[in-house]
Amino acid sequence: MSNYTLLNEFILLGIPQTEGLETLLLVVFSLIYLFTLLGNLLILTAIISSSALHTPMYFFLGLLSIFDILFPSVTCPKMLFYLSGQSRAISYAGCAAQLFFYHFLGCTEGCLYSVMAYDRFVAICHPLRYMLIMKPGVCVGLVLVAWLVGALHATMLTTFTFQVTYCGPNQVGHFFCDIPAILPLACTDSSMAQRVGSINVGFLPLLLWVSISVFYTHIGIAILRIRSAEGRRKAFSTCSAHLTAILCAYVPVMIIYLQRTPNPLLNAVVQILNNIVSPMLNSLIYSLRNKEVKRSLKKVFYNIAIFCF
């Protein structure tokens, strides 16, 4: 049996083909990350402070804002740290934790999108029974199931990825620890981990996408049956922001994990869109497309202005 010198750290090489652009990237990503944090904190504050928004729809939207704060925080701070000229090293345990929380938060947020689609399905297709069906206990139960699925998904992927031995090269050709960047560094057979990763990462988003498609098919049929143009417009407006956010979340995942020949630069760009840009866009989408949120945000800004001046 061969003797292995196990790695205790990895080196994150960052975004491919961006040598010499570290200062520019640091400024751009710092601004995006700051805007993401502030935008989602404002939406969360607006929902908590307004009693009119204490409904199942905005309960789920508030949780989405929390995920959009946590999700980029898994990868962005470390990236900003080494873009500022600091060490690119990440410990073995830190790498495993980064991979786990990336997939845990990403999967849970994907499940939350399905829950939000179900909420809109009940609201539009069964409006008279909406409050009876979407009781607080049901909403909390749906969220707990989403967290459980995310935890199981991330635990399985992290376990299989780090059960193989890493003893040789430790340079990760990516800006964070993810399965396609980590497994090629393994010294032992990683075929099982690759199969589990491909099946798991491919099947779960597909299942969630199918569930969302089914709900929105029923929603579309119900909207078309509404006689008044104003009624159709109002019903569609409650779903358009959610649909836009879903596309921003799922299209990058499909591009990354369903391509036959991985392209490091394309993967990095798409991951940046998924990890950093999409959470920022969600705050814009829901604040600009939702009248109730805009109204509550105006109250928040008004209260801040009174407090400051």
Side-chain angles (χ1 to χ4, degrees):
M1 184 176 180
S2 302
N3 293 322
Y4 293 118
T5 302
L6 301 182
L7 299 178
N8 56 17
E9 69 175 18
F10 293 94
I11 305 297
L12 299 173
L13 297 182
I15 304 169
Q17 303 177 26
T18 58
E19 292 78 7
L21 300 176
E22 287 81 4
T23 302
L24 175 62
L25 293 176
L26 175 64
V27 173
V28 171
F29 292 142
S30 295
L31 291 175
I32 293 175
Y33 184 51
L34 180 61
F35 191 87
T36 299
L37 297 180
L38 291 177
N40 284 289
L41 281 173
L42 282 172
I43 290 180
L44 191 58
T45 302
I47 292 173
I48 293 174
S49 62
S50 175
S51 59
L53 301 184
H54 293 175
T55 63
M57 174 183 174
Y58 294 104
F59 168 67
F60 297 131
L61 178 56
L63 288 175
L64 182 62
S65 294
I66 293 174
F67 280 110
D68 283 337
I69 291 171
L70 296 177
F71 189 51
S73 297
V74 173
T75 59
C76 201
K78 180 61 180 178
M79 181 174 65
L80 296 178
F81 182 75
Y82 66 68
L83 285 176
S84 65
Q86 305 301 315
S87 173
R88 293 175 176 265
I90 182 171
S91 68
Y92 186 92
C95 188
Q98 197 175 59
L99 189 147
F100 173 84
F101 283 107
Y102 171 76
H103 285 280
F104 169 59
L105 293 170
C107 177
T108 306
E109 185 167 342
C111 293
L112 186 60
Y113 282 124
S114 293
V115 170
M116 294 173 75
Y118 173 70
D119 172 72
R120 292 300 83 206
F121 162 74
V122 176
I124 293 174
C125 298
H126 305 283
L128 299 180
R129 299 172 56 201
Y130 177 69
M131 295 309 297
L132 180 64
I133 296 174
M134 300 302 293
K135 295 182 292 186
V138 173
C139 294
V140 172
L142 290 172
V143 171
L144 290 176
V145 170
W147 279 85
L148 179 61
V149 172
L152 291 174
H153 170 76
T155 300
M156 182 180 297
L157 292 180
T158 306
T159 300
F160 275 92
T161 300
F162 286 94
Q163 74 173 358
V164 298
T165 303
Y166 296 94
C167 58
N170 68 340
Q171 294 185 331
V172 179
H174 205 29
F175 65 95
F176 75 101
C177 293
D178 196 15
I179 297 171
I182 293 295
L183 281 181
L185 304 178
C187 298
T188 54
D189 182 24
S190 62
S191 58
M192 177 61 72
Q194 290 175 341
R195 284 196 295 269
V196 170
S198 299
I199 293 172
N200 206 356
V201 174
F203 175 74
L204 189 56
L206 178 62
L207 182 63
L208 295 175
W209 178 259
V210 169
S211 69
I212 291 171
S213 300
V214 169
F215 289 136
Y216 270 102
T217 299
H218 286 286
I219 289 171
I221 293 172
I223 290 176
L224 291 175
R225 289 176 178 172
I226 298 175
R227 295 183 178 181
S228 68
E230 177 63 21
R232 288 195 297 271
R233 187 198 64 77
K234 186 176 180 180
F236 179 75
S237 67
T238 64
C239 302
S240 59
H242 183 227
L243 280 172
T244 305
I246 288 172
L247 290 175
C248 290
Y250 275 91
V251 171
V253 172
M254 292 178 181
I255 293 174
I256 294 168
Y257 292 102
L258 296 183
Q259 57 182 316
R260 290 182 177 273
T261 305
N263 184 315
L265 180 59
L266 176 63
N267 284 356
V269 172
V270 174
Q271 286 281 24
I272 288 169
L273 292 175
N274 185 43
N275 293 14
I276 303 171
V277 179
S278 182
M280 178 192 69
L281 292 178
N282 280 350
S283 61
L284 285 174
I285 291 167
Y286 282 103
S287 60
L288 296 178
R289 300 295 298 272
N290 191 296
K291 291 182 179 179
E292 288 78 9
V293 172
K294 284 195 289 187
R295 191 179 300 116
S296 296
L297 282 173
K298 288 179 181 178
K299 292 181 180 179
V300 171
F301 285 125
Y302 178 74
N303 292 332
I304 292 174
I306 291 177
F307 177 78
C308 293
F309 300 105

